Structure formats: C-alpha cells, structure tokens
Amino acid sequence: MANIKNISILGATGTIGVNTLDVIARHPNKFKVFALTANTNIDKLYEQCIAYKPHYAVMVDENSAEQLQQQLSKINSDTIVLSGADNLDFIASHAETDYVMAAIVGAAGLLPNLAAAKAGKRVMLANKESLVMSGKLFMDAIHEHKAELLPIDSEHNAILQCMPDANNKVNIEKILLTASGGPFRTWEANQLSSVTPDQAVAHPNWEMGKKISVDSATMMNKGLEVIEACWLFDVDVDMIQVVIHPQSTIHSMVSYNDGSVLAQLGNPDMRTPIAYALGWPERIVSGVNQLDIFDVARLDFEQPDFTHYPCLRLAYEAHTQGGNATIALNAANEIAVEAFLREQILFTDIPKLIEDVLKDASSGTPEILEDILIQDKLSREHSNLWLAKNTKNNKRQFIS
Ligand code: NAD
Ligand code: MG
C-alpha cells in the first residue's frame, strides 16, 4: 500500500474534477483522494466528500465553507473544511500531496498551480489560462523544483503521446493541433451576432464547463492552446499548425522529418488524458470505450479562417507581442465571456472587447509574479470600462 499516491484536485466540482474522480475510483490500490476544492458548489463538494472521504475540503467562498462544515458535522465526517484562496496553495503544496490536478477555470488557478510547481509535485495541468498568463515563470518553477508537468488538455496530452522522446525535438517538423471548429463552424458570418449563450455552450463533441465551451465556439480556446503548446513543448509558434478536424477523433499530431506523422486517436472523453497523466509512465484503465474505427469511417481536415475566428488571430498576435499581451488576452477574454454568458454583450462583441484591451497592453514579458498580477488587474479594469462604455444598464444594447 506504500505506493498509493495522494491526489489533490483543484476544481473538483467541475467537469475535469468529476472525470478525475471517476478515473481515481477505478484504482483504489493506486490513488487516494487527499484534498478536494471548489469555489461555491456546496452540494457537489458535499457529495464528493461523502464518496471519497478526503482529508481536506477547501471552499474559496467563506460562507460556502461554513455551510459545508455544518453539513459534514451532522454526519460526523472526518474531512477538515478550510476556506479562502490561500488554502488552495496550502493543499497544492502540502507535504502529503503527491499529485495535483490543476482544474480550476481561469486566472484563479495561477497561484495554486505555481505553489504545486514550487513544491515539486506532479502537476496535471488542465488550467491552460494560468500557463498563458505566466508561461515563463511557471515553466521555470517546474524545472527549478523538479516538478513533473503532465498536460491534461486533450491536444497537448496527445502531442506528448506522439513524442516518444519528448526531450529531443530536433526531428520534429510540425505540431498539428486539432480543433473541432465549434458549433458555428458552418454558420455564415452575418449569423454569428445572433448566437445565444445556450447555443454557444452546447459543444458538438465534448462535455465541458461553460467558459471553455464558449472559448471553443470562438476558437479562443485554440488560441490559448497554441500559446500553451509553445510553453509546454518549448517550441516556436511557427512550429504549430492549427487544423480543423470536426470529428474530434484525432486529438493532435506530430509530423517528423522522415515523413512520419504520429497521431493519437480516441473517443472524445477527458478520462483518457486524465488516466494518462495519473498513470504515467504506465497506462491505466480510464473507463473510456474503445474507439470503433469503422464507426468513425471518415476524418476531415480544414484550414482555420481567421476572419471567421478573429479570437484565434488575436491569440497569435498577442503571443507575438509578448507576455503582457497574453495576460491581457486572457483577462479580457474572461471578462468578455462572462459578459456574454449574462447576455450583456453579443457573441461577436467578444473579439471586439479583447482587441481593444490588447491595444493597451505593454510589450515585453513580466519576469515576476507581481508584474503578472498588475497586468492582469489593469486589463480587467480596461475590459470593464469597455463594457461600461459600450453597453447600457447591463443590457445587451451595443452602442457602437
Ligand atoms: P468547470 O467550470 O466545469 O469547473 C471549474 C472548477 O473551478 C469548479 O470546481 C469551480 O468550483 C472551480 N472554480 C471556479 N472559479 C474558481 C475560483 N475563483 N477559485 C477557485 N476555484 C474556482 O470547468 P472545466 O470545464 O472543468 O475546466 C477546468 C479547466 O480545465 C479550465 O481551465 C479549462 O480550460 C480546462 N480544460 C477543460 C477541459 C474540459 O473538457 N472540460 C478540457 C481541457 C482543458
Ligand atoms: Mg483542448
């Protein structure tokens, strides 16, 4: 039993968190849940505490933590309930945590992910936003503290699987990053302003949280993933080709100088990359059904069109501009997506807001955490000013 790994899940109540628990439950002799965290979802975290009996449960929201504590006391649970964002860092770097699933959505994941890296943990990274914000700092922390970094994003996990010698990239010609193209791939440009939040969160192939679903529809998700891939695999952006592949069967490919292209295929189910990261360097059962290749029958590929997906263009531009711009890109996108989800702006306003905020981002890449947080704050303020200027009474009444 000495080999059982203690897992802490940041963002346990989200789609990735729930899928992680599903895989862990299949391997009681390999993994134990040490800590679970959530923002405000008391009911789900309560259920998870009963099922997995973690040592700690952290709720960032104080009132939610109090309510969870009361509910767990009633059933004499041994789980210790903590509150506040600082306690995310505490469990991410706790001596008894072996592996950290980094599955908080958005910039809120940055500090605990860094804490896990600095504590030399195995970091299973789903939270791409934190890498987009702090690529250099985060990768330096991983290397300096000999942490293990395993990507959970299905594309990056696929790329890793297609790199049998991940330390030797001299023979790689291109990384082919696949994208479904989202639910509006075949829509005419003039129809896009009518997209509703419900339509945008209904992804054709994957079950995901709301924010990443909207990001997939705008293809900002792919833009963030291009930046993520540059940092994770230490490659130039020119090495990465985005390929629209509507079936989402190939999760990405790596093209080599001898003419070989390695691809990783599978049903679109996040339990595959999660199991790969948990089991690495071995493969373990994930619960995902085998891919029926006859059922797939055909695979299509298309070049992405920047005019149809302006967010993808903005991500490339931000990456070329530098670290401050990618922080601005991420901050503006988070604010824009939230505003779209509460019907304050149109789907087509999302890139307009981001483009405006990007114009103001300084060039260069911040070297220290404080500077990252300052750029993030400034870009959020700029985004909120844009919203105040271009909408009335918090309603979707776009002025310009
Ligand atoms: P989700 O919205 O379903 O879950 C988000 C989790 O983060 C929840 O547990 C929530 O409680 C927690 N959270 C939200 N705000 C927080 C805050 N301010 N502080 C602390 N915790 C907070 O999201 P998801 O779809 O599971 O995605 C999580 C991350 O994984 C995102 O960064 C996403 O881009 C990435 N990702 C997701 C998928 C997927 O298939 N869902 C695939 C690849 C990458
Ligand atoms: Mg992905």
Side-chain angles (χ1 to χ4, degrees):
M1 299 296 263
N3 243 343
I4 292 192
K5 299 293 182 194
N6 272 338
I7 318 290
S8 290
I9 306 180
L10 306 172
T13 54
T15 319
I16 296 290
V18 168
N19 278 305
T20 305
L21 288 168
D22 182 283
V23 178
I24 288 175
R26 293 165 198 275
H27 302 278
N29 297 327
K30 284 186 165 52
F31 308 113
K32 180 170 177 349
V33 177
F34 180 68
L36 297 174
T37 87
N39 195 23
T40 52
N41 192 340
I42 305 165
D43 293 347
K44 187 101 165 236
L45 197 57
Y46 174 74
E47 257 174 47
Q48 292 178 339
C49 286
I50 293 176
Y52 297 96
K53 301 185 173 45
H55 193 67
Y56 290 110
V58 182
M59 298 213 77
V60 174
D61 179 66
E62 225 168 276
N63 286 335
S64 306
E66 249 171 58
Q67 287 182 49
L68 179 71
Q69 174 71 75
Q70 281 169 11
Q71 291 187 21
L72 287 173
S73 302
K74 281 190 203 147
I75 55 159
N76 295 323
S77 159
D78 290 332
T79 297
I80 300 167
V81 179
L82 304 172
S83 76
D86 287 353
N87 278 315
L88 299 175
D89 302 8
F90 169 72
I91 64 116
S93 57
H94 195 288
E96 285 186 50
T97 292
D98 294 307
Y99 298 176
V100 174
M101 171 55 76
I104 288 174
V105 60
L110 175 64
L111 297 180
N113 294 355
L114 267 174
K118 286 183 185 162
K121 305 297 183 195
R122 173 175 296 194
V123 184
M124 304 183 286
L125 186 73
N127 173 251
K128 64 195 93 188
E129 295 93 341
S130 67
L131 196 64
V132 168
M133 292 174 74
S134 72
K136 179 160 172 19
L137 198 80
F138 184 76
M139 294 309 291
D140 285 351
I142 290 281
H143 296 135
E144 189 183 332
H145 299 279
K146 299 191 169 46
E148 286 176 326
L149 180 58
L150 286 149
I152 294 299
D153 223 333
S154 57
E155 296 78 2
H156 306 75
N157 193 277
I159 293 163
L160 183 68
Q161 294 194 44
C162 296
M163 282 183 184
D165 184 2
N167 294 321
N168 181 4
K169 297 186 197 74
V170 289
N171 298 316
I172 295 176
E173 293 278 323
K174 275 246 179 279
I175 288 175
L176 303 171
L177 190 71
T178 55
S180 72
F184 314 121
R185 182 175 58 88
T186 57
W187 286 36
E188 296 297 328
N190 62 8
Q191 294 177 294
L192 291 174
S193 59
S194 70
V195 165
T196 65
D198 282 348
Q199 287 171 322
V201 299
H203 193 276
N205 305 330
W206 295 93
E207 283 274 322
M208 304 186 288
K210 280 187 181 169
K211 194 255 176 187
I212 184 175
S213 298
V214 176
D215 285 351
S216 298
T218 60
M219 258 179 96
M220 178 55 89
N221 184 49
K222 212 47 53 181
L224 300 177
E225 288 184 2
V226 168
I227 301 168
E228 180 185 12
C230 290
W231 288 115
L232 280 177
F233 302 110
D234 191 21
V235 294
D236 211 70
V237 73
D238 301 341
M239 292 264 292
I240 299 168
Q241 168 73 59
V242 173
V243 180
I244 295 191
H245 165 48
Q247 290 90 358
S248 299
T249 299
I250 295 182
H251 301 310
S252 278
M253 301 173 258
V254 181
S255 174
Y256 287 87
N257 60 5
D258 63 356
S260 298
V261 179
L262 303 194
Q264 188 257 350
L265 288 73
N267 285 319
D269 189 319
M270 290 307 292
R271 289 176 299 174
T272 296
I274 290 167
Y276 188 81
L278 279 167
W280 188 84
E282 283 165 25
R283 286 189 189 267
I284 59 170
V285 165
S286 66
V288 177
N289 290 335
Q290 293 297 306
L291 180 70
D292 182 341
I293 208 85
F294 299 108
D295 195 33
V296 174
R298 64 178 275 182
L299 302 169
D300 295 304
F301 306 102
E302 293 165 17
Q303 295 261 12
D305 171 0
F306 275 3
T307 55
H308 195 68
Y309 298 110
C311 286
L312 185 59
R313 168 180 60 80
L314 292 171
Y316 271 100
E317 286 173 7
H319 185 68
T320 309
Q321 205 178 320
N324 278 314
T326 59
I327 296 165
L329 176 90
N330 179 66
N333 183 53
E334 285 189 22
I335 301 274
V337 170
E338 281 165 17
F340 167 69
L341 285 173
R342 59 173 184 265
E343 305 199 349
Q344 192 183 352
I345 61 171
L346 303 176
F347 184 73
T348 42
D349 294 335
I350 296 174
K352 289 181 190 165
L353 186 159
I354 298 168
E355 185 143 32
D356 197 64
V357 174
L358 270 182
K359 277 191 209 131
D360 245 23
S362 45
S363 55
T365 297
E367 300 275 326
I368 55 169
L369 182 62
E370 285 69 22
D371 291 344
I372 293 176
L373 299 177
I374 288 170
Q375 178 66 61
D376 180 61
K377 187 164 173 277
L378 288 174
S379 299
R380 282 169 200 272
E381 283 168 5
H382 186 153
S383 305
N384 284 321
L385 279 177
W386 190 96
L387 286 177
K389 208 167 86 190
N390 292 293
T391 63
K392 256 191 187 168
N393 307 327
N394 253 8
K395 287 257 153 45
R396 188 194 273 171
Q397 280 179 304
F398 193 66
I399 297 162
S400 69

